[in-house]
Amino acid sequence: MKIFTLRNVMRAALWGGAAAAVLAVAGFVTAAVYVVRVTSDLPDYQQLAEYEPPIMSRVHAGDGRLIAEYAREHRVFMPIENIPQSLVHAFVSAEDKNFYEHGGLDFRGIVRAAFANVGHVLRDERLEGASTITQQVAKNFLLSSAQRLERKVQEMVLARRIERAFTKDQILELYLNEIYFGQRAYGAAAAALNYFDKSLDELTLSESALLAAVVNGPARFHPIRHPERTIDRRNWVLSRMAANGYISEEQAREAAQDPLQIAERLSGDDYLAAEYFVENVRRQVFSMYGEDELYDGGLSIRTTLDTRMQMAARRALRDGLETYDRRHGYRGVLGTIELGEGWEERFEEVTIPRDLDDGWMPALVVDVSDAAASIRFEDGSEGTIPMAELSWARQNLPDGELGPVVRTAGEVLSAGDVVLAGYPTAEVQEPDTYSLRQVPAINGGIMAMDPHTGRVLAMMGGYSFQHSQFNRATQARRQPGSSFKPFAYAAALDNGYTPASLILDAPFVASGGADERFYMPSNYSERYYGMSTMRLGLELSRNVMTVRLAQEMGMRPISDYGVRFGIYDELDPVLAMSLGAGETTLYRLISAYAALVNGGRRVEPTILDRVQDRTGATIFAHEQRECETCDVEEWQAELLEPFFPETREEVVDPVTAYQVVHMLEGAVQRGTGTALRSLGRPLGGKTGTTNDFRDAWFVGFGPDLIVGVYVGFDTPYQLGSGEAGGRVAAPIVRDFFEDVIGDYPVAPFRVPEGVRLVPINRLTGEPGVLGQSGVILEAFRPGTEPSRQSPEEESGLSFARSSVSDDPLSLLLQEEEGDDEDSEEEEGIGGLY
């Protein structure tokens, strides 16, 4: 019986073993068939050898500072040989400790994860993965992220193939340049920049561990939203690095003590200051190379921007606009809320302007007396706004007018008002004292340029890019007013006139257009001065003289010069255009002035110096000149010095250009540009103001730098009586020059060949002796300087001075002696009557 039973058992075991073997074979065959089926059309892993990921394009200022990045995926490709070993060890320890030992699949890790996941399921915890770095490369590059068995099998097969085709370093290079780190960063190099504003070789041990930590789950290990969880994960990576022998236990402990410090990149005033400039760069590169190349092509874009000048331009423009705005009263509070419990929540609901000046903060008025307003800030701190900081806040009325004088704080503010408060402007030294502020309603633009190369060194297109992206330096088409006059005078100089030519300054009437019967321009002072030199007409911006000159000479040359200098595409030859009635942009006007300053050569403003592709090859260079003697192996005495042929178009004779510049130096010393006189340097400049004070302009320049400013409301509106270019725009140019002019040597304007400097009386045009009142050195073409005859006899003109003024020469002399900003002559295009 026992023998029978044992035999039966043995038979059953044999049948069971055979069945198991059959099932095993069947299972293997089934699995093999399934693997073959799901892997029959796998992506070609060989394409990884041609890996060219989307790379962000980076924009640098002329001084090398990074000012912008353009990308769909923020990535900087980094070859494996440039990735520090500490970062490699951190990722291997965190993601795949057996990376250097397995052939693509970590079977020990798979078994470990399987057993561990049983417990995780019972505890309802997040499951562990067992993917190797090679598997992640297969998934990220060649497959989808779908959580399906089919995709997992494909991943494992591809991982084995990748391991046979690529070295471990090549696999790591692919992995570390592709994975997503959060913070809009793809790849380790971009992550180092976005998290720490550092290159990879600058990372500390704790920072390398942090990058290895966050890649496991960028949302879960977010250093801002979840700092404690992120630190714990970082410290776990450090402990794994120590356990794997990459660092010592002591190094791990020290690194674990490092605080969590995340950088704020591309932020702050210097970044905000460049926003208008950067947007112009983006548009230009987009038009040159297209969207894909800009956002995925990894372009290196070197611009002309000088970051220090750009900050100076931002300060000068914002200060100038705020100064004008305060002269024209207070437009009201940001909102009014109920005081008492819960004021903080109500305070947060009030809309606060963005991009506030440094030191400006929203505040709640909690009490008002005759002498001051008490305020409270969001953090609970308190302060006061005294009457000295409220006296400017008169009611803002139409056409630049003001309401009654403010005598008590209660006339401006009430308890519950939400306002902007900033550092005091008056000489108030009391602690916790603030001033009342408001964001200007007026706007404008400023641009600085090298007149010889056209390189735009600074550009602000408005008070704030966050308030309005409309660029008033390049896009706003407005009448330049009297800032066009230098080009009318340049046309005259090329048509037989000299700076000493006499032009009648007297009432002028001409036929009007279709809508008006008469055109009758007037001077800003509403006075007339009789026969005056052309220099005087430009220095003091005389409207009537300019129009009379245009009538005598004919408008066609002036219209031609407006187009030749690039100010206009076309210009109607009507008299009003001689006073700047045509519309143009600050960008084009500065380019035209540059041709005067550089000796008559056209320069096109440029914001790009060079563009390189992802391989470093230059695909655009602004400066492209041929030089046959530059490319030699070594210097030889008989070789000529490098010579660059002049390729720029000559738009005006160098002598004419210098004569206009010389007269505009006089405008700074004695005329409408005296705002720059305090700088004590050879500078020229010209104001511009249009009818009814709707636009204010000023262009100032030295031998190697030119700066222009436009100020006005976006919807044309009166700035207010007396708000001319010399008062509104010129101080902005002066403030900019004060910050940057020290970088330039004190040097006179370059005098070209063919200029003769002759002493004359600037008021009469007669020859004189230096040292006598009114005598200056004037620039003439040889043979055109005045003789010792009286100017009236020489010109064949006679004029009864008494018909214009009792004593016009006396008026001129008074103007000469009392010359200051308040006595400037400045008005734009006259009027139609």
Side-chain angles (χ1 to χ4, degrees):
M1 190 69 177
K2 290 182 180 179
I3 295 174
F4 177 76
T5 302
L6 179 60
R7 184 178 299 154
N8 289 341
V9 170
M10 292 178 63
R11 185 180 294 115
L14 288 172
W15 279 106
V22 170
L23 289 174
V25 170
F28 178 80
V29 170
T30 301
V33 169
Y34 177 77
V35 170
V36 170
R37 183 177 66 80
V38 300
T39 61
S40 60
D41 58 347
L42 285 177
D44 180 11
Y45 63 92
Q46 296 289 350
Q47 65 183 281
L48 298 180
E50 307 297 326
Y51 175 58
E52 283 194 357
I55 300 176
M56 65 182 171
S57 294
R58 311 182 76 195
V59 183
H60 291 85
D63 53 17
R65 185 161 189 172
L66 180 69
I67 55 176
E69 295 171 338
Y70 303 124
R72 295 188 182 100
E73 296 181 1
H74 285 248
R75 179 186 287 105
V76 178
F77 181 81
M78 189 64 64
I80 189 63
E81 56 267 22
N82 293 335
I83 299 176
Q85 282 298 298
S86 59
L87 187 69
V88 171
H89 295 157
F91 274 91
V92 169
S93 298
E95 296 295 311
D96 187 1
K97 71 174 184 177
N98 298 318
F99 173 70
Y100 289 107
E101 300 168 7
H102 62 65
L105 301 177
D106 185 2
F107 295 105
R108 285 180 294 175
I110 293 172
V111 173
R112 176 188 51 77
F115 281 106
N117 283 334
V118 173
H120 293 319
V121 170
L122 295 176
R123 293 189 294 273
D124 195 26
E125 295 175 345
R126 187 170 180 265
L127 301 181
E128 292 183 22
S131 292
T132 64
I133 286 177
T134 312
Q135 287 177 265
Q136 293 184 56
V137 168
K139 179 184 71 174
N140 290 334
F141 284 87
L142 304 173
L143 302 170
S144 71
S145 297
Q147 297 292 328
R148 299 200 309 267
L149 176 62
E150 177 183 337
R151 200 272 300 162
K152 194 66 176 178
V153 172
Q154 292 173 335
E155 176 188 299
M156 296 171 73
V157 172
L158 283 172
R160 293 288 294 174
R161 295 178 181 178
I162 290 170
E163 285 279 348
R164 290 194 294 269
F166 298 94
T167 67
K168 292 289 187 180
D169 279 350
Q170 289 174 324
I171 294 170
L172 273 174
E173 180 178 271
L174 293 168
Y175 174 75
L176 291 174
N177 280 289
E178 180 67 17
I179 51 176
Y180 181 59
F181 285 80
Q183 296 280 90
R184 302 176 300 117
Y186 290 80
L193 290 171
N194 281 18
Y195 279 96
F196 308 114
D197 198 16
K198 292 181 177 180
S199 59
L200 289 179
D201 59 345
E202 296 175 317
L203 294 177
T204 65
L205 179 58
S206 65
E207 290 167 346
S208 296
L210 179 69
L211 294 185
V214 300
V215 76
N216 184 260
R220 293 181 63 243
F221 302 111
H222 193 286
I224 305 299
R225 293 194 292 267
H226 308 295
E228 293 183 2
R229 183 188 299 169
T230 304
I231 290 175
D232 288 343
R233 176 71 181 179
R234 179 200 68 182
N235 293 348
W236 176 83
V237 173
L238 290 168
S239 69
R240 291 296 85 206
M241 292 178 71
N244 293 335
Y246 293 127
I247 60 175
S248 67
E249 293 287 350
E250 182 179 358
Q251 287 176 308
R253 285 193 299 270
E254 290 178 355
Q257 300 304 312
D258 288 350
L260 187 61
Q261 294 180 331
I262 304 301
E264 291 187 19
R265 296 185 65 241
L266 299 179
S267 62
D269 286 348
D270 52 349
Y271 169 69
L272 294 174
E275 286 182 309
Y276 282 104
F277 185 93
V278 163
E279 175 60 14
N280 261 38
V281 171
R282 188 195 67 81
R283 291 182 180 183
Q284 183 169 338
V285 176
F286 182 94
S287 68
M288 293 166 64
Y289 301 109
E291 181 178 7
D292 290 343
E293 193 68 14
L294 175 61
Y295 290 101
D296 298 335
L299 300 178
S300 175
I301 304 165
R302 178 59 66 97
T303 70
T304 61
L305 187 74
D306 184 306
T307 53
R308 200 174 78 81
M309 283 195 184
Q310 184 66 26
M311 285 297 296
R314 184 175 192 261
R315 283 192 300 269
L317 181 64
R318 289 177 73 118
D319 288 349
L321 296 178
E322 290 164 12
T323 299
Y324 165 86
D325 194 63
R326 288 170 70 90
R327 285 203 298 267
H328 292 273
Y330 191 51
R331 294 186 302 279
V333 299
L334 300 177
T336 302
I337 66 173
E338 183 182 349
L339 298 177
E341 186 176 352
W343 70 270
E344 294 93 345
E345 290 76 14
R346 294 189 289 275
F347 183 82
E348 289 179 356
E349 293 175 358
V350 178
T351 301
I352 305 299
R354 297 168 295 172
D355 190 18
L356 296 176
D357 262 354
D358 185 35
W360 290 26
M361 297 165 285
L364 174 65
V365 178
V366 295
D367 188 37
V368 177
S369 66
D370 288 348
S374 299
I375 57 175
R376 180 179 300 153
F377 296 102
E378 191 173 10
D379 62 3
S381 61
E382 297 186 345
T384 60
I385 304 178
M387 266 304 301
E389 295 291 349
L390 289 169
S391 59
W392 68 270
R394 298 163 66 180
Q395 184 181 1
N396 176 266
L397 298 176
D399 299 329
E401 299 298 320
L402 289 171
V405 174
V406 175
R407 302 189 184 279
T408 66
E411 295 175 21
V412 180
L413 301 175
S414 302
D417 287 343
V418 178
V419 300
L420 290 178
Y423 299 134
T425 57
E427 295 181 1
V428 178
Q429 301 298 328
E430 297 294 328
D432 300 323
T433 298
Y434 298 88
S435 65
L436 182 66
R437 298 287 193 168
Q438 71 180 355
V439 174
I442 197 169
N443 230 307
I446 182 172
M447 179 171 143
M449 188 178 83
D450 184 320
H452 305 286
T453 64
R455 299 179 73 248
V456 177
L457 304 172
M459 177 197 293
M460 279 287 290
Y463 182 82
S464 168
F465 187 80
Q466 296 182 45
H467 295 173
S468 168
Q469 296 183 18
F470 181 67
N471 191 326
R472 294 152 192 87
T474 61
Q475 294 175 299
R477 294 178 59 85
R478 304 296 278 265
Q479 295 177 347
S482 296
S483 57
F484 176 71
K485 288 177 182 175
F487 305 97
Y489 282 74
L493 291 169
D494 281 343
N495 281 272
Y497 290 80
T498 76
S501 294
L502 293 176
I503 302 169
L504 177 60
D505 186 8
F508 178 93
V509 180
S511 298
D515 299 328
E516 302 289 345
R517 294 180 59 191
F518 302 108
Y519 175 57
M520 190 170 69
S522 60
N523 290 328
Y524 178 63
S525 65
E526 297 186 355
R527 293 190 296 179
Y528 303 93
Y529 301 88
M531 300 300 291
S532 302
T533 61
M534 198 166 79
R535 164 179 280 278
L536 205 62
L538 186 55
E539 284 186 357
L540 300 177
S541 198
R542 298 277 174 74
N543 291 335
V544 177
M545 288 180 63
T546 305
V547 174
R548 193 178 299 277
L549 172 67
Q551 187 189 50
E552 291 179 0
M553 179 177 58
M555 267 301 298
R556 179 54 63 186
I558 295 176
S559 297
D560 290 345
Y561 271 50
V563 174
R564 181 190 296 186
F565 277 90
I567 302 172
Y568 306 108
D569 293 326
E570 59 180 352
L571 187 65
D572 292 336
V574 296
L575 290 177
M577 296 301 174
S578 68
L579 299 180
E583 292 184 341
T584 189
T585 63
L586 180 63
Y587 191 83
R588 298 183 74 165
L589 188 65
I590 289 177
S591 175
Y593 270 84
L596 296 175
V597 177
N598 69 27
R601 298 285 179 175
R602 180 189 297 279
V603 291
E604 187 67 28
T606 180
I607 56 177
L608 297 180
D609 271 343
R610 184 183 69 231
V611 179
Q612 295 170 284
D613 65 16
R614 65 194 300 155
T615 68
T618 298
I619 56 177
F620 169 83
H622 170 65
E623 192 69 38
Q624 293 182 337
R625 298 198 211 177
E626 295 183 3
C627 177
E628 297 180 357
T629 59
C630 290
D631 189 15
V632 294
E633 293 184 1
E634 60 182 40
W635 172 253
Q636 298 175 15
E638 64 271 14
L639 290 177
L640 296 175
E641 293 183 1
F643 171 73
F644 295 94
E646 181 59 72
T647 58
R648 297 173 299 173
E649 176 190 359
E650 183 175 283
V651 295
V652 69
D653 185 89
V655 174
T656 301
Y658 179 76
Q659 286 178 303
V660 176
V661 167
H662 193 49
M663 288 190 283
L664 293 178
E665 281 191 89
V668 168
Q669 293 303 313
R670 298 170 293 272
T672 60
T674 52
L676 303 188
R677 190 166 59 189
S678 62
L679 299 174
R681 282 173 170 261
L683 296 172
K686 185 68 190 76
T687 50
T689 312
T690 56
N691 276 356
D692 299 324
F693 300 99
R694 291 180 182 270
D695 302 285
W697 302 71
F698 189 82
V699 180
F701 52 84
D704 300 304
L705 180 63
I706 183 168
V707 184
V709 167
Y710 156 76
V711 176
F713 290 97
D714 289 341
T715 299
Y717 188 75
Q718 292 186 19
L719 305 183
S721 179
E723 298 289 9
R727 189 182 191 202
V728 178
I732 298 174
V733 174
R734 177 200 61 212
D735 292 348
F736 175 82
F737 269 131
E738 283 181 346
D739 274 353
V740 306
I741 201 67
D743 293 340
Y744 291 83
V746 179
F749 288 94
R750 299 165 182 86
V751 183
E753 294 182 5
V755 170
R756 184 176 180 188
L757 296 173
V758 178
I760 68 162
N761 188 303
R762 60 179 283 270
L763 305 178
T764 66
E766 297 176 352
V769 177
L770 288 179
Q772 291 180 343
S773 176
V775 174
I776 63 169
L777 283 176
E778 187 59 270
F780 293 94
R781 294 178 185 275
T784 65
E785 60 269 27
S787 67
R788 289 291 176 179
Q789 292 176 287
S790 70
E792 290 172 5
E793 294 173 346
E794 186 179 61
S795 63
L797 297 172
S798 61
F799 179 70
R801 294 182 185 274
S802 59
S803 67
V804 178
S805 169
D806 291 338
D807 188 0
L809 183 57
S810 174
L811 288 175
L812 290 172
L813 291 172
Q814 291 174 17
E815 188 177 72
E816 170 82 5
E817 294 169 359
D819 191 14
D820 57 29
E821 289 188 33
D822 294 330
S823 66
E824 290 179 11
E825 299 286 341
E826 176 54 41
E827 170 72 337
I829 61 173
L832 293 171
Y833 298 93

